[in-house]
Amino acid sequence: MESATILAIETSCDETAAAVVRNGREILSNVIYSQIDLHTLYGGVVPEIASRKHIEKINQVMAQALKEAGMELSDLDAVAVTYGPGLVGPLLVGVSEAKAVSFASGLPLIGVHHIEGHISANYIEHHDLEPPFVCLVASGGHSHLVVVKDYGEYEVLGRTRDDAAGEAFDKVARAIGLGYPGGPKIDKVAREGDPDAIAFPRAKVGDSDYDFSFSGLKSAVLNYLNSCQMKGETICQADVAASFQKAVVDVLTEHSMAAVERCGLRKFAIAGGVASNSALRQALEKACAEREIAFYRPSPLLCTDNAAMIGAAAYYEYVRGVRHGLDLNAVPGLKLGQT
Ligand code: KG4
Ligand code: ZN
């Protein structure tokens, strides 16, 4: 395959990120400015504040990514950017920046799907990984089971019918007083708790083996908290966190293994912020080992939002000949496989 060094930009939510990636597999730099502290004050991401902060930070983050890679724009082959899905204001900042760079430098512009980016984080971590494989994508906005048929070619087997897995982590964390961002906090507190202390439901979605539903589980946790309060019982935060986490992990593991077995593929990968959850990583590692399925997972830093994963995805789009014009726009509801 041809060689290409790509500058990538990611601003779809609350991380202002830029990276330089060579041939889709090698990180030359990966700069992430996290806005989390700013949004923690409000208990979640405030889109207007995120947009404004992206504008303030993007030039600096991009300059740092180039500097750390020891590159000038003239050393690059393309500029890539997440153009959806995500929050429209934040996405627009990255898209505008990438278009400006493309216009000024003459570099080709490549718009990247955010989920394709998450999946491609695996290519950076595992140089031997090639499609086809099954991938579980679990993040704050998405829970998808995907067959990666080839580079840039996806079949979505299942998705969440309501809340994404990460969203459930964030909402339950808030309800038990852990605050934002919930996922990492529940992960940590759950280590001190008993995962079998409370029997929360494992939701089945009627006609599908692969779709997920997490809003029922979230309601079950809220009901449990209410009933404890009414009875004057104090809750054990660690037990609630561990039992809730176990319910999510069980469903994600069961559906993932059903998909892998049904597809007859022997390779399984995970991606997205929730993929950094330690209990989920352990459960999937064990389930794959029992079935002699090769298990791939990015390091936690590459699971949560970053631009290196966008640079990895962009390389395979570049090789496939995908180029976008300066009319590229942010598409908040972009579907996977739509270019
Ligand atoms: O992929 P990501 O950084 O952003 C989106 O594209 O949504 O995912 C963020 C989500 C948040 O909901 C966060 O609570 C969750 O991933 N998350 C975790 C963990 N780390 C991040 N969930 C469970 N356990 C973790 N260790
Ligand atoms: Zn993401």
Side-chain angles (χ1 to χ4, degrees):
M1 259 194 241
E2 69 193 284
S3 164
T5 304
I6 297 178
L7 168 68
I9 296 171
E10 154 66 44
T11 61
S12 67
C13 191
D14 61 346
E15 261 92 29
T16 315
V20 178
V21 178
R22 186 181 284 148
N23 301 338
R25 303 266 174 175
E26 190 192 342
I27 295 180
L28 301 184
S29 65
N30 186 23
V31 180
I32 305 170
Y33 169 77
S34 172
Q35 306 180 358
I36 275 184
D37 291 346
L38 199 63
H39 299 285
T40 300
L41 289 170
Y42 306 94
V45 178
V46 183
E48 294 306 319
I49 294 180
S51 308
R52 224 173 303 152
K53 206 65 190 174
H54 284 311
I55 294 174
E56 262 175 61
K57 288 286 171 186
I58 186 70
N59 281 328
Q60 191 185 323
V61 165
M62 202 178 71
Q64 198 182 331
L66 286 169
K67 188 170 163 224
E68 284 181 17
M71 298 252 159
E72 310 257 339
L73 287 176
S74 56
D75 300 320
L76 301 170
D77 298 290
V79 55
V81 64
T82 306
Y83 74 110
L87 301 168
V88 66
L91 283 168
L92 270 172
V93 177
V95 168
S96 309
E97 182 81 9
K99 289 202 288 194
V101 170
S102 169
F103 180 68
S105 64
L107 290 172
L109 176 68
I110 302 172
V112 173
H113 192 289
H114 184 73
I115 298 298
E116 180 169 16
H118 273 301
I119 295 170
S120 303
N122 282 287
Y123 298 136
I124 298 172
E125 205 80 47
H126 305 284
H127 288 184
D128 58 324
L129 176 63
E130 288 189 38
F133 59 92
V134 176
C135 188
L136 168 70
V137 187
S139 72
H142 312 271
S143 300
H144 280 70
L145 260 172
V146 179
V147 182
V148 182
K149 296 178 150 183
D150 200 345
Y151 293 109
E153 216 183 292
Y154 306 95
E155 183 190 342
V156 178
L157 291 179
R159 50 165 57 86
T160 181
R161 298 278 179 100
D162 38 59
D163 291 353
E167 208 176 338
F169 269 94
D170 293 335
K171 288 177 177 168
V172 167
R174 195 179 312 160
I176 60 175
L178 286 174
Y180 178 84
K185 292 190 171 158
I186 288 194
D187 194 345
K188 189 155 172 250
V189 169
R191 282 174 212 159
E192 315 296 321
D194 173 7
D196 300 313
I198 310 148
F200 289 131
R202 274 68 174 153
K204 269 263 161 234
V205 180
D207 52 346
S208 168
D209 288 341
Y210 305 128
D211 280 359
F212 304 105
S213 166
F214 292 109
S215 80
L217 171 59
K218 176 194 67 192
S219 303
V221 176
L222 296 179
N223 288 341
Y224 171 81
L225 297 175
N226 278 338
S227 80
C228 286
Q229 200 183 17
M230 274 158 55
K231 287 187 258 171
E233 293 169 7
T234 48
I235 64 147
C236 173
Q237 206 182 37
D239 282 352
V240 178
S243 301
F244 158 77
Q245 179 173 274
K246 178 89 186 322
V248 176
V249 167
D250 281 356
V251 170
L252 292 177
T253 305
E254 189 188 314
H255 290 206
S256 299
M257 291 302 108
V260 174
E261 305 227 311
R262 192 80 54 87
C263 294
L265 296 169
R266 311 306 297 164
K267 288 190 263 183
F268 173 70
I270 55 173
V274 180
S276 59
N277 182 270
S278 56
L280 180 65
R281 291 165 87 90
Q282 265 171 31
L284 288 169
E285 182 136 33
K286 182 163 173 275
C288 286
E290 282 165 7
R291 292 167 180 78
E292 294 184 348
I293 292 161
F295 178 50
Y296 301 89
R297 76 276 175 284
S299 61
L301 184 73
L302 292 176
C303 285
T304 45
D305 287 350
N306 64 85
M309 68 185 197
I310 303 302
Y315 170 73
Y316 293 100
E317 296 293 334
Y318 177 87
V319 170
R320 274 166 16 112
V322 171
R323 304 287 185 271
H324 285 93
L326 290 176
D327 57 351
L328 180 70
N329 204 353
V331 184
L334 188 66
K335 300 272 176 298
L336 193 61
Q338 190 182 327
T339 38

